[in-house]
Every structure is written in structure tokens, then in C-alpha cells.
């Protein structure tokens, strides 16, 4: 999108973080069926990022179709490790890869809490057995 690009016509690197944040929201909402709004607004559970590592491999230009992928690397008692990737539309070229750790928190106390049982179960159903 035009709004994702800098004056050189390539994706401005912070926009990848915005895109991947949207991917996490969609994953919780649609992929896991837990409901991102319900989790954050109704249940007051946050999923802030506490660790982030990004590798930019190739340029994405305005008009390029890309695909975003999310894979669970680790499911801990209070954290979720993600491996997210942006590839060309056909998946043949890795454009950007991001390793990220999310922590489940109480939005009342801003302290880490256990990954809620329904979230843990949904991740297990969708992604299979994971390391704890």
C-alpha cells in the first residue's frame, strides 16, 4: 500500500511491525476464535511484546503482493514465542522475518499472568503440541 511505503517506494520498515500486529490480532480473532477485542476490552488481558528481533532480507515495493505467516515457536506459562514472516505472494522469497515474544498481562495491574486456559487450548488445537 502507498501508506506502507517511504518516498523511495519501498516498505518503510516500521510498517512491518504494524502489519504483523494486525496479523496477531487476526490470529487471535479468527484463527484461534478467542476474539481479540473480547480478550483485551472485555477480559482486560493484554498481549504486549517484550522481545523483538527482526531481519530484513529483501525489498518489498509498492504494489507487491505479499503474504504474512505466523508460527508458534514456544508456548510458555505466561508467554508466547512467535516466528512471523513476510514473503512474496508465492512464498518463494523471504522479505522479512520477525521473532517476537508476547506476554499475557492483566490490563488492571500490568503484571504478567498465566496464558488463559481457552487461549492455550485454542493454540494447542490450531498448532499442535507445543513446548511449555
Amino acid at each position: 500500500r502507498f501508506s506502507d511505503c517511504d518516498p523511495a517506494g519501498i516498505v518503510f520498515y516500521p510498517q512491518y511491525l504494524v502489519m504483523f500486529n494486525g496479523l496477531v490480532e487476526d490470529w487471535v480473532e479468527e484463527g484461534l476464535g478467542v476474539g481479540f477485542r473480547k480478550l483485551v476490552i472485555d477480559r482486560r488481558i493484554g498481549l504486549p511484546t517484550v522481545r523483538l528481533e527482526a531481519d530484513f532480507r529483501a525489498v518489498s515495493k509498492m504494489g507487491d503482493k505479499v503474504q504474512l505467516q505466523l508460527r508458534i515457536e514456544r508456548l510458555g506459562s505466561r508467554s508466547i514465542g512467535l516466528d512471523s514472516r513476510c514473503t512474496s505472494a508465492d512464498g518463494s522469497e523471504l522479505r522479512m522475518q520477525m521473532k517476537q515474544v508476547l506476554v499475557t498481562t492483566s490490563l488492571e495491574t500490568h503484571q504478567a499472568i498465566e496464558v488463559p486456559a481457552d487461549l492455550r487450548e485454542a493454540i494447542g488445537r490450531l498448532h499442535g503440541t507445543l513446548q511449555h
Side-chain angles (χ1 to χ4, degrees):
R1 298 181 190 265
F2 178 76
S3 61
D4 295 330
C5 296
D6 62 20
I10 60 175
V11 173
F12 183 48
Y13 70 93
Q15 293 296 47
Y16 281 113
L17 303 181
V18 173
M19 290 181 221
F20 282 125
N21 188 69
L23 180 63
V24 168
E25 287 186 31
D26 292 347
W27 171 65
V28 172
E29 182 71 33
E30 300 163 17
L32 298 178
V34 172
F36 190 81
R37 184 193 182 288
K38 181 178 178 183
L39 188 70
V40 173
I41 302 299
D42 298 341
R43 296 171 64 183
R44 306 290 297 149
I45 297 171
L47 289 172
T49 297
V50 297
R51 179 158 171 61
L52 189 64
E53 180 181 327
D55 291 313
F56 301 93
R57 305 289 180 101
V59 170
S60 293
K61 295 178 253 164
M62 188 172 77
D64 284 357
K65 293 194 183 290
V66 296
Q67 81 177 271
L68 302 179
Q69 305 161 349
L70 179 147
R71 186 175 69 80
I72 302 296
E73 279 200 323
R74 184 178 182 284
L75 178 60
S77 61
R78 297 177 181 202
S79 65
I80 305 166
L82 303 178
D83 177 11
S84 300
R85 296 166 184 243
C86 175
T87 67
S88 55
D90 65 3
S92 66
E93 181 180 36
L94 179 62
R95 305 284 177 86
M96 191 266 197
Q97 180 176 6
M98 185 172 80
K99 304 269 185 173
Q100 178 180 20
V101 177
L102 305 175
V103 171
T104 47
T105 62
S106 161
L107 292 178
E108 302 304 327
T109 65
H110 300 287
Q111 299 297 309
I113 60 172
E114 297 290 318
V115 174
D118 61 329
L119 186 59
R120 180 178 295 284
E121 290 167 14
I123 291 170
R125 276 195 311 273
L126 191 62
H127 298 281
T129 304
L130 295 166
Q131 175 184 1
H132 289 248

